[in-house]
């Protein structure tokens, strides 16, 4: 740049010829002529073409970038995974080279955004952020779509994930209880979007008509619910970014599971492992160390909130209630009555007259009308009807799930006259005696070879009789021998005469 300035000054101010300028600078006259003919003093250089280890793999990487851009957002692979794939093909370059090329390629594909944001900061124990996401997992050999609850502490950045079949109230309450238990306390404030399970209506400004059950949950855990403005997800940007990042860290590497409980146990262990591995984005500590620091500022965890939704159900003539296409049994004496159903995340509790009358594990079916509904029986609920109709033992659907000892006893008794009546009487013993003791008595009767109601009842009585104390190995010794004296009786008579 300075040489070009000297050439122009010698030519335009001092009037030197091109030959003299070439002699002084050592340049050719053609070069001097070209520089003097330019209208500007900015030199134009060709872009430098430096060889790169990525040159042989650019077309492959561009193809992969096109493929990932056309995929659904939840299934896209990260640049770290693409770099690992290139390494498996023989690429010897670094991840930074791949990332720089991908940034340049994406910038050429789309216009830069014009949005701007304000960075947020939080004090220890001040707030957490909550959000839902949808992901897929293989459970019992079936690929299922799950709703994932994400809860993230804003100061330590520790996170917790729980998988459910839906996003209704019972799942929302259970997710908070499990997250607070894992974090070791409750922050002062929770940041949410305007989800329907929390907000009934949007009012002016930041005012919200909060759902009553959600408000009861926040009052129980004593934290304040703060809701974002509509379409302002950046106000809970930490958990929004977590949803995207953990999709690659967890779900794309998730194994198969036998049940949803196994999946949630694996998620808990995976989150705790990532707390130790991941570094805090703003401090030279891990997430686990940040959580240990933040736990001192959290409110101690109270008893879990009784998070259920309540429904009224009428019991059918077959002693069943229906919920989500499935049917569940209740005791026979409540047939044709209206009962209260408390729906939890993993179980159903049936109440009548203020008392629990039945409890079942909740059954989930895929949202497919071709999948038949399931009926969940408890054979003990039908013992009252069985006393009046003992013949139902032979084909009764609830009694297909009897314990093994009862099954063997039934196969023996139904071969005898009035065996169904005797079997019904034996099953009725469960109503007044512990079931494990009845099963022990049945096993003992079967071992004798001639089981009967009287024999089982006799064995049940022996099992419930308290054991007799063992005799003392040595009788106690009398060290002071008592003396017989009638003087004590005379003293008592004298006192009686006084009265």
């Amino acid at each position: 740049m300075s040489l070009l300035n000297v050439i122009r000054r010698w030519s335009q101010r001092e009037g030197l010829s091109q030959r003299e300028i070439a002699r002084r600078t050592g340049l050719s006259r053609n070069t001097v002529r070209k520089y003097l003919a330019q209208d500007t003093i900015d030199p134009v250089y060709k872009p430098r073409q430096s060889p790169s280890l990525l040159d042989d793999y650019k077309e492959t990487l561009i193809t992969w970038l096109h493929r990932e851009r056309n995929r659904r957002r939840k299934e896209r692979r990260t640049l770290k995974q693409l770099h690992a794939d290139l390494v498996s093909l023989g690429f010897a370059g670094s991840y930074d080279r791949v990332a720089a090329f991908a940034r340049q390629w994406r910038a050429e594909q789309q216009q830069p955004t014009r949005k701007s944001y304000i960075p947020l900061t939080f004090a220890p124990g001040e707030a957490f952020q909550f959000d839902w996401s949808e992901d897929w997992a293989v459970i019992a050999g079936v690929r299922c779509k799950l709703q994932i609850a994400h809860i993230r502490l804003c100061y330590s950045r520790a996170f917790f994930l729980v998988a459910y079949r839906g996003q209704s109230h019972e799942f929302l309450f259970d997710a908070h209880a499990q997250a607070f238990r894992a974090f070791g306390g409750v922050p002062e404030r929770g940041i949410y979007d305007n989800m329907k399970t929390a907000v009934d209506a949007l009012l002016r400004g930041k005012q919200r008509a909060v759902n009553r059950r959600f408000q009861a949950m926040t009052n129980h855990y004593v934290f304040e619910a703060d809701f974002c403005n509509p379409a302002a997800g950046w106000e809970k940007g930490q958990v929004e970014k977590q949803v995207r990042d953990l999709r690659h860290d967890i779900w794309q590497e998730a194994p198969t599971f036998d049940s949803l409980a196994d999946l949630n146990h694996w998620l808990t262990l995976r989150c705790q492992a990532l707390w130790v591995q991941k570094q805090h984005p703003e401090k030279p500590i891990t997430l686990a160390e940040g959580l240990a620091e933040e736990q001192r500022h959290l409110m101690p965890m109270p008893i879990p909130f009784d998070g259920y939704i309540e429904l009224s159900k009428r019991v059918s003539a077959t002693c069943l209630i229906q919920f989500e296409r499935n049917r569940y049994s209740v005791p026979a004496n409540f047939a044709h009555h209206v009962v209260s159903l408390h729906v939890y995340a993993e179980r159903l509790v049936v109440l009548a007259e203020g008392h629990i009358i039945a409890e079942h594990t909740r059954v989930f079916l895929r949202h497919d009308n071709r999948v038949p509904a399931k009926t969940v029986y408890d054979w003990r609920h039908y013992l009252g009807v069985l006393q009046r109709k003992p013949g139902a033992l032979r084909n009764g659907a609830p009694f297909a799930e009897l314990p093994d000892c009862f099954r063997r006893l039934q196969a023996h008794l139904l071969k005898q006259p009035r065996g169904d009546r005797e079997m019904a009487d034996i099953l009725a013993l469960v109503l007044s005696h512990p079931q494990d003791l009845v099963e022990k008595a049945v096993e003992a009767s079967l071992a004798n070879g001639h089981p009967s109601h009287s024999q089982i009842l006799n064995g049940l009585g022996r099992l419930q009789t308290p054991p007799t104390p063992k005799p003392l190995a040595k009788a106690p010794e009398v060290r002071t021998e008592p003396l017989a004296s009638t003087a004590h009786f005379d003293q008592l008579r004298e006192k009686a005469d006084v009265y």
Side-chain angles (χ1 to χ4, degrees):
M1 183 73 72
S2 60
L3 179 59
L4 182 57
N5 189 20
V6 170
I7 292 174
R8 292 170 63 86
R9 188 175 69 248
W10 283 347
S11 174
Q12 297 181 12
R13 289 189 178 275
E14 299 182 12
L16 297 181
S17 64
Q18 295 181 6
R19 182 187 298 275
E20 179 63 20
I21 295 174
R23 186 186 66 79
R24 290 186 180 186
T25 59
L27 299 175
S28 67
R29 281 185 289 173
N30 291 335
T31 302
V32 173
R33 186 183 303 111
K34 181 182 67 173
Y35 284 166
L36 293 176
Q38 293 179 358
D39 296 332
T40 176
I41 64 173
D42 293 333
V44 179
Y45 301 104
K46 292 183 179 180
R48 181 179 179 180
Q49 299 291 337
S50 300
S52 172
L53 296 175
L54 191 60
D55 292 341
D56 297 335
Y57 303 91
K58 280 185 178 180
E59 297 299 327
T60 302
L61 182 57
I62 291 176
T63 302
W64 289 354
L65 292 174
H66 275 292
R67 179 194 64 189
E68 299 303 324
R69 186 180 65 173
N70 295 330
R71 279 184 172 180
R72 294 191 302 174
R73 179 172 55 88
K74 300 176 183 179
E75 299 179 354
R76 294 175 187 168
R77 297 174 64 81
T78 62
L79 290 179
K80 288 185 178 180
Q81 293 170 322
L82 296 181
H83 172 257
D85 294 341
L86 287 177
V87 170
S88 64
L89 296 178
F91 176 63
S94 65
Y95 163 76
D96 295 336
R97 180 63 256 169
V98 175
F101 180 84
R103 284 194 298 269
Q104 180 181 358
W105 180 84
R106 288 169 177 170
E108 295 172 355
Q109 300 296 316
Q110 60 184 0
Q111 296 293 331
T113 60
R114 296 183 179 181
K115 295 181 180 180
S116 58
Y117 305 95
I118 300 175
L120 304 177
T121 181
F122 299 90
E126 178 185 355
F128 69 90
Q129 297 179 0
F130 179 90
D131 200 8
W132 288 101
S133 71
E134 287 186 356
D135 287 286
W136 294 80
V138 179
I139 300 177
V142 180
R143 190 168 182 262
C144 305
K145 182 170 70 172
L146 303 173
Q147 308 299 320
I148 314 302
H150 294 254
I151 299 182
R152 187 182 186 96
L153 295 178
C154 297
Y155 175 78
S156 65
R157 312 300 174 90
F159 52 85
F160 191 78
L161 276 68
V162 196
Y164 298 103
R165 299 285 186 168
Q167 296 185 10
S168 52
H169 272 136
E170 67 271 21
F171 304 117
L172 177 68
F173 300 151
D174 185 72
H176 282 77
Q178 295 201 41
F180 294 154
R181 188 183 301 112
F183 293 147
V186 184
E188 299 178 0
R189 186 163 57 99
I191 303 175
Y192 304 84
D193 55 17
N194 300 286
M195 52 189 182
K196 294 182 179 180
T197 50
V199 177
D200 291 337
L202 296 174
L203 305 180
R204 178 174 297 181
K206 298 286 290 185
Q207 297 181 357
R208 301 288 187 272
V210 182
N211 182 272
R212 292 183 61 184
R213 286 291 290 166
F214 181 83
Q215 187 68 49
M217 190 262 298
T218 60
N219 293 339
H220 177 83
Y221 291 117
V222 196
F223 71 88
E224 178 185 357
D226 189 9
F227 299 98
C228 300
N229 291 313
W234 64 272
E235 295 182 2
K236 57 180 183 67
Q238 290 188 19
V239 73
E240 294 280 353
K241 186 175 184 298
Q242 170 184 312
V243 170
R244 182 190 65 187
D245 294 344
L246 294 186
R247 182 166 289 124
H248 308 291
D249 293 341
I250 292 182
W251 295 108
Q252 290 190 357
E253 305 297 334
T256 59
F257 305 94
D258 295 332
S259 64
L260 186 61
D262 294 338
L263 168 60
N264 282 325
H265 179 69
W266 179 83
L267 279 177
T268 301
L269 298 179
R270 183 62 178 156
C271 289
Q272 293 173 351
L274 290 175
W275 293 349
V276 179
Q277 299 174 11
K278 286 184 172 291
Q279 294 291 319
H280 195 284
E282 298 176 356
K283 299 181 180 182
I285 58 175
T286 63
L287 301 188
E289 295 171 343
L291 176 60
E293 178 184 351
E294 188 170 14
Q295 282 177 342
R296 298 194 297 267
H297 302 272
L298 299 176
M299 188 192 77
M301 172 71 177
I303 60 174
F305 177 66
D306 192 12
Y308 62 85
I309 58 175
E310 186 173 10
L311 303 172
S312 294
K313 296 290 182 178
R314 177 173 291 277
V315 183
S316 67
T318 53
C319 310
L320 297 172
I321 60 173
Q322 185 171 355
F323 176 71
E324 292 180 345
R325 295 176 53 207
N326 301 311
R327 294 183 294 272
Y328 303 86
S329 66
V330 298
N333 53 329
F334 291 96
H336 306 288
H337 287 69
V338 176
V339 296
S340 178
L341 176 64
H342 288 188
V343 181
Y344 292 87
E346 297 179 352
R347 60 193 177 98
L348 301 177
V349 178
V350 185
L351 297 92
E353 301 174 357
H355 300 283
I356 297 177
I357 61 173
E359 186 170 350
H360 294 280
T361 301
R362 187 172 176 179
V363 177
F364 295 94
L365 297 177
R366 291 191 300 170
H367 298 287
D368 188 352
N369 292 330
R370 293 174 295 179
V371 178
K374 186 175 181 180
T375 303
V376 180
Y377 294 109
D378 187 341
W379 57 272
R380 293 166 295 188
H381 293 163
Y382 293 88
L383 294 180
V385 182
L386 187 64
Q387 295 299 303
R388 302 192 305 270
K389 303 177 180 180
L393 267 174
R394 298 182 181 273
N395 301 105
F399 305 104
E401 302 174 0
L402 287 173
D404 180 65
C405 62
F406 288 131
R407 282 178 168 275
R408 289 185 282 120
L409 178 63
Q410 180 181 7
H412 178 81
L413 293 180
L414 292 186
K415 298 177 182 179
Q416 304 175 5
R418 295 183 57 83
D420 48 3
R421 165 57 63 185
E422 189 167 4
M423 184 64 191
D425 294 338
I426 293 173
L427 291 178
L429 295 175
V430 177
L431 298 176
S432 55
H433 300 82
Q435 182 176 337
D436 56 343
L437 292 182
V438 177
E439 291 182 7
K440 290 180 180 179
V442 170
E443 291 283 1
S445 179
L446 288 171
N448 293 334
H450 301 284
S452 63
H453 176 263
S454 58
Q455 188 178 20
I456 293 173
L457 191 60
N458 187 19
L460 188 61
R462 287 196 301 269
L463 290 173
Q464 291 181 319
T465 302
T468 56
K470 296 182 179 180
L472 296 176
K474 184 178 180 181
E477 297 180 358
V478 180
R479 297 182 179 180
T480 304
E481 186 174 348
L483 298 176
S485 175
T486 58
H488 298 297
F489 181 70
D490 294 336
Q491 293 176 0
L492 293 174
R493 289 184 58 192
E494 291 177 359
K495 292 182 179 180
D497 295 339
V498 172
Y499 291 111

